[in-house]
Amino acid sequence: MRWLLALILVLAAALPAAARDVAASAPVDVSVTIYRAPSRNGGSIELGSLGGFAVVSETRRVTIPAGRHRLRFGGVVDGIIPESAIVAGIPGGVIEKNQDADLLSPSALMRAARGRKITLTRTNPATGKPVQVVAEIVSAGPDGVVFKTAAGTETLRCSGFSETFRYDLDAQGLNAQPTLSVMTNSPREVTATVTLTYIAQGFDWSANYTAHLNPDGKTLSLGGWITLANGNSVSLANARTQIVAGGLNRAYVARYVNNQPQVIARCWGMQKTSDIPLKPDRPYELVRPFLEPGYRRFRGEKDRNDIIVTGAQRKGVMMASPISVSAVSDEAMPPPPPEQLGDLKLYRMPQRTTVAAMQMKQTRLVDQQAVPYEAYYSASIPALSYGSATAQWPVYGAIRMLNTKAEGLGLPLPAGQFMIDQSQFGRAMLVGQPSLSDTAEGEKLELSLGNAPDLTVRRVTLSQTANSQEVEVTITNAGLQAAAFELELALDPAHQIDATTNPVVLRDGKRLMLFSVPAGGTVTVRYTVRIN
């Protein structure tokens, strides 16, 4: 027997010790880099359908005993892609990674309580007073909760009276917050500072700009804001925040979603008293529920919570938090210049910020005063008439700026929405809401202000032969100010324009006639199109 006992002890010593859970500290430093949704080039964002993502890097501290242990990182973003997680700083390295996705909830706790004892509080039909009964949860699912007592097996809330229960159990496998766990084997006990980096979905950002046209008619004040959006349930507090502008090529990543059925505490079968046969020895009896002394029920008052999770009834009503949009003050420090990230642009927020759960936040991107601009009007018409001899075309107003330091800008500007206004009788009036595409330093910014009703373009075909067409275009200005005008002539490359009364210039691949239309006046131009 001694040799058998010794053999058992030797074998037990040779077996690897069971892995124990070791919790890492909360993040002591957080950095988040938010990427715009690849399919969206500017435009607004909706908190409920964010198509962007973020790279989150957290610094944590942990004491790891010697041996094999499961290191748990609680409070990671719930949109985490577990296979993207990289853990650096663990002496024993990472053996495996797991996303512990079964979160603590009333439904999850109910499923975890199956087969365990609970305390059921129900109403005694004879006295109307609450009594406590020891019961065991048999099953819990969408159809209801079945429990077993000394009197038999019943369904919760089928007695017709108030029934609640409370339990105190070790909810193993459940987490109060999203958790990532990794397995490690440390050769010795060590206290380390580790870095957890991962990709998480449910983020996005957008740019918004304001432009106020100054009274001089030559300069404007330009402001820019970045809107950061976090559609997850976890906040990234006091984080170093960056955004990346540009079109990132990103493949679709399938993500496993833990869709456990919801537990609904209702009477299974939903029977009525008329469905239950009357038994002579168990007559129906109507009982007024027992009310504690001093308790008064007001009309319209809702019932108290039915399921008590922690043994203490929750106070207050749990309400959905409204979307909050917070903004950094105009007095905040200006952002640093963007950095090159491959073919993309990286913008760093000038101060740490909290990217809060289920919120959008704005932070300053650009603030430039007295930026020169050029206001102009334009119309695009086919140079050659293929239909009616007379036609009228719409005219659009626009402003143009050059994105250089010499012109007061010189910043890569991410795609976004503009709001342009000017003062009229002492009030700021909206004059346009154009969109801006990603604009690099040195490029032109051309922002449309919409239709200009004071200007009209009328084209008339004067004569036509098999090889040519003579056209007259009249531009009329009913406004009170002269208008710089650009007439674009759209033409097949095989055809040619000659015999013009105004020169034709080629700019950005467009054939343009440039002139000024006086206030209350007209300008008439003629040209001939040679058909080859």
Side-chain angles (χ1 to χ4, degrees), residues 23 47 55 109 130 136 193-194 240 301 352 377 465 514 532:
L47 193 59
V55 177
L109 278 169
E136 177 184 333
T193 299
V194 298
R240 290 177 283 117
E301 183 183 21
R352 289 177 177 263
Y377 298 87
T465 67
L514 310 177
N532 300 326

Side-chain angles (χ1 to χ4, degrees), residues 352-407:
R352 289 177 177 263
T353 185
T354 295
V355 185
M358 299 302 295
Q359 286 190 11
M360 294 190 291
K361 168 177 284 189
Q362 287 187 319
T363 185
R364 176 68 82 180
L365 173 67
V366 59
D367 185 8
Q368 300 283 6
Q369 305 295 322
V371 178
Y373 74 91
E374 174 190 6
Y376 67 98
Y377 298 87
S378 66
S380 177
I381 66 173
L384 189 64
S385 174
Y386 294 97
S388 174
T390 303
Q392 189 163 309
W393 303 89
V395 178
Y396 297 94
I399 61 174
R400 179 186 293 125
M401 294 172 281
L402 189 59
N403 189 15
T404 62
K405 290 182 172 58
E407 296 294 325

Side-chain angles (χ1 to χ4, degrees), residues 1 51 61 131 135 141 158 180 198 209 241 248 264 292 357 432 434 468 474:
M1 290 297 295
R61 296 190 179 96
V131 295
C158 279
L180 178 79
Y198 57 90
Y209 301 92
T241 307
L248 180 69
I264 301 177
E292 297 176 1
S468 66
T474 302

Side-chain angles (χ1 to χ4, degrees), residues 34 36 40 42-45 204-209 225-229 243 360-363 365 414-417:
I34 303 176
R36 191 172 60 202
R40 186 177 59 81
S44 60
I45 54 179
D204 209 342
W205 67 267
S206 67
N208 297 89
Y209 301 92
W225 295 86
I226 291 293
T227 301
L228 309 175
I243 65 167
M360 294 190 291
K361 168 177 284 189
Q362 287 187 319
T363 185
L365 173 67
Q417 192 78 25

Side-chain angles (χ1 to χ4, degrees), residues 505-518:
V505 298
L506 189 65
R507 188 172 70 191
D508 299 331
K510 301 177 181 179
R511 294 179 176 87
L512 302 175
M513 286 186 176
L514 310 177
F515 44 83
S516 177
V517 185

